[in-house]
Amino acid sequence: MKESTLKKKRKRLIFRTSLLAVMVGLLVFAIVSTLKDDKAVIAKGEQAPNFQLEKFGSEGETIELKDLEGKGVMLNFWATYCGPCKDEMPYMEKLYPKYKEKGVEILAVNLDTTELVVKRFIDRYDLTFPVLQDKGGQVMDLYNIGPIPTTLFINADGEIVEQVTGPLTLSKLEGYLQQITPEE
């Protein structure tokens, strides 16, 4: 066989092998994506999955959802780059002392990766409710959160009462907080 024919066959073999590798890669990606989409969707009326996250500025202090059993919990997913998140933070801060006294805890789950930016945000808005770090996005994935802000309202029994995607007004926020306030 001529050397030029061997080169052509070698090039064809490399091309076909590369094409096969790409096709196998796409197949694996499709299978993994399908399996990932099969995870449970968190919906109204379901039990809120437990999680544990570190609190910003606490040097390792963590908050676990199951420790708040018997309280209403507002779970807000947000980031500093999210404009609507900035709009609703003052409302959350305004209502926090009143509802904390009534047995409702506000937990703000931050999805940023830069601690300095988050610290400045907390200082700027003078936030007093717990801000939790979800560095790897594990709680975001657990709750299947898409766009932010997304807020879940969880009653004293740990059941999701409402899930709101998008910013909350002061009156809507107060209405949802009243729904999850434990009975005396």
Side-chain angles (χ1 to χ4, degrees):
M1 222 182 280
K2 288 183 174 179
E3 184 146 336
S4 64
T5 306
L6 282 174
K7 278 186 175 179
K8 278 185 180 178
K9 283 187 174 189
R10 188 176 298 141
K11 282 182 179 179
R12 210 176 303 149
L13 177 66
I14 290 171
F15 176 76
R16 287 179 179 165
T17 305
S18 300
L19 195 60
L20 182 63
V22 169
M23 289 173 64
V24 168
L26 289 173
L27 181 66
V28 169
F29 176 76
I31 291 170
V32 169
S33 295
T34 302
L35 293 175
K36 193 175 181 182
D37 290 341
D38 287 344
K39 67 182 175 184
V41 174
I42 304 300
K44 263 171 81 169
E46 292 184 3
Q47 282 296 117
N50 189 39
F51 63 87
Q52 183 174 7
L53 289 175
E54 188 175 330
K55 207 169 134 183
F56 263 99
S58 68
E59 296 182 27
E61 181 186 345
T62 60
I63 292 182
E64 192 168 354
L65 184 62
K66 74 177 185 180
D67 292 340
L68 300 174
E69 203 172 294
K71 290 183 171 186
V73 177
M74 175 186 156
L75 195 58
N76 176 261
F77 291 86
W78 69 285
T80 56
Y81 54 82
C82 163
C85 301
K86 293 175 188 171
D87 295 341
E88 66 184 11
M89 284 291 170
Y91 304 143
M92 291 163 54
E93 183 56 38
K94 181 175 182 174
L95 296 175
Y96 181 60
K98 176 181 172 183
Y99 282 92
K100 182 169 179 62
E101 206 169 277
K102 294 180 175 186
V104 175
E105 191 61 62
I106 292 178
L107 300 177
V109 179
N110 179 268
L111 305 173
D112 288 289
T113 53
T114 312
E115 289 186 34
L116 182 62
V117 173
V118 178
K119 184 174 177 357
R120 285 184 186 156
F121 188 93
I122 292 169
D123 291 344
R124 179 175 175 208
Y125 288 91
D126 225 4
L127 303 179
T128 57
F129 50 81
V131 177
L132 308 176
Q133 292 178 293
D134 192 17
K135 284 182 182 172
Q138 69 271 17
V139 177
M140 184 178 94
D141 289 344
L142 180 67
Y143 279 81
N144 202 19
I145 300 300
I148 54 171
T150 294
T151 307
L152 291 107
F153 295 90
I154 303 165
N155 69 18
D157 298 325
E159 183 181 292
I160 297 170
V161 173
E162 194 65 57
Q163 179 173 354
V164 180
T165 301
L168 291 161
T169 62
L170 182 61
S171 63
K172 281 184 181 177
L173 177 58
E174 183 148 29
Y176 291 126
L177 290 174
Q178 286 172 355
Q179 286 183 34
I180 60 169
T181 300
E183 294 178 19
E184 292 178 23

